[in-house]
Amino acid sequence: MSSTSRPAPPESVLDVLEIEQRYRRRAGALGARRARRPGRRLPAWVRRPDLLLAVAVVALVLAWALVPSVFTGQSPIDGVPADRLQGPSAAHPFGTDHLGRDLFARVVHGSRLTLQATVLAVLIGLVAGSAIGLVAGFVRGVVDDVAMRVVDVLLSIPALLLSMALITALGFGTVKVAIAVGIGTVANFARVMRSEVLKVGAAVYVEAARASGVRTSAVLLRHVLPNAAGPVLALSALEFGIAVLAVSALSFLGFGAPPPAPEWGSLVSGGRDYLATAWWLTTLPGLVVAAVVLSANRIARALERRTAA
Amino acid sequence: MSSALAGYLARRVGQAVLVLWAAFTVTFAILYLLPSDPVAVMLGGGQGEQVDVDPAQLAALRAEHGLDDPLPVQYAAALWRTLHLDLGTSISNGAPVTRLIADALPQTALLAAAAFALALVLGVATALASTWARWGWVRSLLLALPPLGVSLPTFWVGLLLIQLLSFRVPVFPALGNEGAASLVLPAVTLAVPVSASIAQVLARGLRTALAEPYVETARAKGASRARVHLRHALRNATIPALTIAGVIVGNLLAGAVVVETVFSRVGIGRLTVSAVNGQDIPLVQGLVLLAAAVFVATNLVVDLLYPVVDPRIRLLGGARASARRTARATARPVVGSTS
């Protein structure tokens, strides 16, 4: 965009919000023009059925986590020994394990622990990472340099190994796994938030707000943060998928909740002893993990495209 | 070697050493500052339980690992030892950490090399085919593969392969380190997410490159599709793809943790799992430092390789550095799925 197409500088201090709105309107108009191309008038869910499916998968597992008893009447902990190691059937859609427990019930109830850990991990990364990125990108100077060097160092250690080091120090359990995975994602959030803040911070409306004497904290919270949030939220969806993978991998390795509490990762590792005879014990819980991660990635790509448009 | 090149080398090596020092400091902070009492953690043997231990035994262990000194002294001592490549001794079996790592490293290096070779072939082939294909549906099918590859849990892929190719149709052994056949399934498992990352970045680079004016020029001059793809586009698409080399090596190491556990292979990954299980702080620190060192070394090598791949980048000061920054900026972060 050439500088001539920019709106004129604010004439009065009251113009600040007005200019910001004009920017937003204009961005909206651009998006609308793109959307009005012929052949694109179908509703979004017809045009992109895979996106609809992805949203449905994530909504379903979230519902599993919130109200598991709606989806299964069977106990995830108590089994019927006579029914042990049965394949998938109408009574047991995912089959039963070596203690006769219904695997579907264990996956549904397991989504609570696994998704709790995932959401907590993403929240930790989102809040801490965004705060670091916001301050670093806005204050610049030494603060920025130090924060970004720390981010570089965190990125130089593979996320899984960083989480494992944190678990060594914190101990085992679902919440500790969540904290360990969350700290591993801080660096990514900080980096994306910083680059967005640098972009937004150069906008005329931020300059105008500053020049008209708005307090720094108000500039940050009312002007910079809302306009920088889009890509960061798209990243949250992406990190949700990565966190599901990391949480279930760490649970698979045995660092999550102790048995008999079900977690997606520990369910898969629990089926390892029956690989030759009971394929469903590892295959079906793993399939659920894969479906959720794939869906989260699909949603993240849609969000990314929207914020990029 | 010109003096400019020597200066550049010295600067880059200096930066790499700084990152390593910072990584050492971060792991020291996590492992020795975060727990209220590292010695109690080490004696807890996992699970984070409080175990009743003889106070004299605690004090002895503390003294042995220098944990009764003030923190700055501990830090300085640990840093000094690490600088001399002495990573301390394992809590669980008393062996030097460096020896444990050296014993396990060859197996993991072999696995990582095999997986990387496979991933490179698969990734490059997928990326090239997805831009080469003329039919829309083939193109979208190929473009859907990388997001799928990074979404599949590595442990699940490994177990599926064992089920199919060790039990259902016994072709490959399910576990162990014996012979080349035992390497096939672990290498394939580890290659899945890595090849997906490579394909993602390379396909994006290829699409960008194929839209450039020089491709138009080449076509106008009558260059064949193959020539345009392989000589013009691929070479330019390699530059952003090179920037993720460090991430890929990190993914290989982290992926080895899961893969070696699934296939019961001896190596760095299994060593890491057992170190965390035993809350063996010195061993965990050594292993994390090793990962950081490998990452830093890879990036250093890649930085030195840029001018070979891209003659526009000269090893001279600002021009070069800014070219590298642009390359990094265009290579978007890859979904690092190693889990």
Side-chain angles (χ1 to χ4, degrees):
Chain A
M1 192 204 291
S2 75
S3 57
T4 49
S5 67
R6 258 191 215 161
E11 284 166 6
S12 94
V13 288
L14 294 175
D15 283 349
V16 174
L17 279 173
E18 160 65 21
I19 291 175
E20 184 177 340
Q21 266 162 11
R22 212 187 300 160
Y23 255 82
R24 283 200 180 141
R25 265 204 302 277
R26 202 204 273 178
L30 279 174
R33 210 174 302 152
R34 191 163 302 164
R36 268 201 298 274
R37 260 185 292 168
R40 285 223 167 185
R41 279 187 204 147
L42 294 165
W45 63 271
V46 178
R47 246 178 17 231
R48 290 180 294 181
D50 54 333
L51 181 59
L52 183 75
L53 187 66
V55 173
V57 166
V58 172
L60 178 67
V61 294
L62 285 175
W64 281 1
L66 291 174
V67 280
S69 52
V70 172
F71 297 92
T72 174
Q74 314 216 29
S75 163
I77 305 294
D78 301 316
V80 182
D83 293 345
R84 60 194 295 271
L85 293 176
Q86 288 185 358
S89 63
H92 304 290
F94 282 16
T96 59
D97 68 4
H98 62 291
L99 295 175
R101 294 176 293 196
D102 181 60
L103 187 62
F104 181 68
R106 284 178 69 69
V107 171
V108 169
H109 284 270
S111 59
R112 169 164 287 181
L113 284 177
T114 301
L115 293 182
Q116 261 176 6
T118 305
V119 170
L120 181 60
V122 174
L123 278 180
I124 290 172
L126 177 67
V127 172
S130 301
I132 293 170
L134 192 63
V135 171
F138 197 71
V139 178
R140 314 265 195 97
V142 182
V143 178
D144 188 22
D145 284 346
V146 171
M148 285 307 111
R149 286 300 82 74
V150 172
V151 164
D152 280 349
V153 171
L154 288 179
L155 288 174
S156 73
I157 303 168
L160 191 68
L161 288 178
L162 186 62
S163 298
M164 287 173 82
L166 283 158
I167 288 171
T168 309
L170 296 171
F172 298 175
T174 308
V175 175
K176 285 159 181 172
V177 163
I179 295 171
V181 172
I183 293 176
T185 65
V186 167
N188 279 337
F189 277 107
R191 217 172 44 164
V192 171
M193 181 56 111
R194 173 180 173 270
S195 80
E196 285 308 307
V197 169
L198 285 181
K199 245 183 261 169
V200 173
V204 180
Y205 58 81
V206 171
E207 209 177 300
R210 271 185 178 156
S212 49
V214 179
R215 266 181 297 118
T216 307
S217 58
V219 174
L220 262 183
L221 294 178
R222 280 192 34 211
H223 301 282
V224 177
L225 189 59
N227 290 298
V232 178
L233 290 180
L235 179 68
S236 311
L238 193 66
E239 291 287 347
F240 180 88
I242 299 173
V244 170
L245 276 180
V247 166
S248 40
L250 291 167
S251 161
F252 174 83
L253 294 173
F255 305 135
E263 279 182 339
W264 288 350
S266 60
L267 285 177
V268 176
S269 72
R272 281 180 71 194
D273 296 337
Y274 304 92
L275 272 181
T277 51
W279 59 269
W280 55 90
L281 287 180
T282 46
T283 307
L284 297 178
L287 194 62
V288 171
V289 177
V292 171
V293 179
L294 199 57
S295 303
N297 279 355
R298 181 66 193 84
I299 295 170
R301 259 182 302 144
L303 286 175
E304 221 170 83
R305 222 165 282 166
R306 257 188 69 176
T307 53
Chain B
M1 189 196 287
S2 72
S3 65
L5 181 58
Y8 169 73
L9 260 179
R11 211 167 45 243
R12 285 295 292 122
V13 171
Q15 280 168 6
V17 170
L18 264 180
V19 172
L20 273 183
W21 165 74
F24 169 83
T25 309
V26 167
T27 54
F28 185 85
I30 289 175
L31 293 165
Y32 289 94
L33 296 188
L34 212 51
S36 50
D37 186 353
V39 172
V41 166
M42 294 182 213
L43 287 175
Q47 313 314 327
E49 288 159 10
Q50 287 302 314
V51 187
D52 286 324
V53 201
D54 183 13
Q57 200 191 337
L58 265 179
L61 194 63
R62 218 171 256 141
E64 186 194 327
H65 290 275
L67 292 170
D68 46 2
D69 294 326
L71 266 175
V73 176
Q74 283 183 39
Y75 174 75
L79 184 59
W80 184 249
R81 276 192 294 108
T82 308
L83 281 177
H84 293 80
L85 291 179
D86 171 9
L87 296 170
T89 53
S90 157
I91 301 284
S92 43
N93 63 10
V97 169
T98 40
R99 208 189 70 215
L100 288 172
I101 291 180
D103 286 349
L105 198 54
Q107 288 296 340
T108 302
L110 186 66
L111 171 64
F116 178 70
L118 198 59
L120 193 63
V121 172
L122 285 176
V124 173
T126 311
L128 275 175
S130 75
T131 49
W132 178 272
R134 289 178 196 262
W135 305 285
W137 65 273
V138 176
R139 210 179 258 257
S140 25
L141 188 74
L142 286 166
L143 284 177
L145 282 181
L148 182 67
V150 293
S151 299
L152 300 179
T154 306
F155 55 88
W156 185 62
V157 173
L159 291 174
L160 280 187
L161 287 175
I162 292 181
Q163 261 175 29
L164 292 175
L165 297 174
S166 298
F167 293 139
R168 198 69 47 97
V169 188
V171 185
F172 299 107
L175 35 92
N177 292 54
E178 299 295 310
S182 73
L183 191 63
V184 176
L185 294 185
V188 171
T189 308
L190 190 49
V192 168
V194 175
S195 65
S197 308
I198 295 175
Q200 239 170 359
V201 175
L202 197 61
R204 198 179 291 137
L206 275 172
R207 278 198 301 276
T208 315
L210 285 169
E212 294 283 335
Y214 60 76
V215 166
E216 199 78 1
T217 311
R219 282 204 191 112
K221 283 177 154 182
S224 66
R225 279 190 91 205
R227 195 180 157 83
V228 167
H229 249 83
L230 298 176
R231 273 208 57 97
H232 296 273
L234 185 60
R235 227 176 139 190
N236 282 285
T238 310
I239 298 155
L242 263 181
T243 57
I244 63 157
V247 175
I248 286 189
V249 170
N251 281 358
L252 284 169
L253 265 182
V257 171
V258 173
V259 170
E260 288 177 357
T261 306
V262 169
F263 291 93
S264 305
R265 283 179 69 86
V266 178
I268 291 291
R270 264 267 292 273
L271 190 62
T272 312
V273 174
S274 65
V276 176
N277 264 318
Q279 295 192 294
D280 194 336
I281 288 179
L283 186 52
V284 172
Q285 190 181 24
L287 289 161
V288 174
L289 279 181
L290 172 76
V294 171
F295 177 87
V296 167
T298 310
N299 276 342
L300 190 61
V301 171
V302 165
D303 274 358
L304 298 178
L305 270 182
Y306 276 122
V308 179
V309 183
D310 187 354
R312 289 170 298 183
I313 301 174
R314 279 161 307 156
L315 279 180
L316 286 173
R320 212 210 130 272
S322 72
R324 180 165 54 89
R325 265 199 297 280
T326 333
R328 285 245 160 101
T330 41
R332 314 237 322 276
V334 183
V335 184
S337 133
T338 51
S339 323

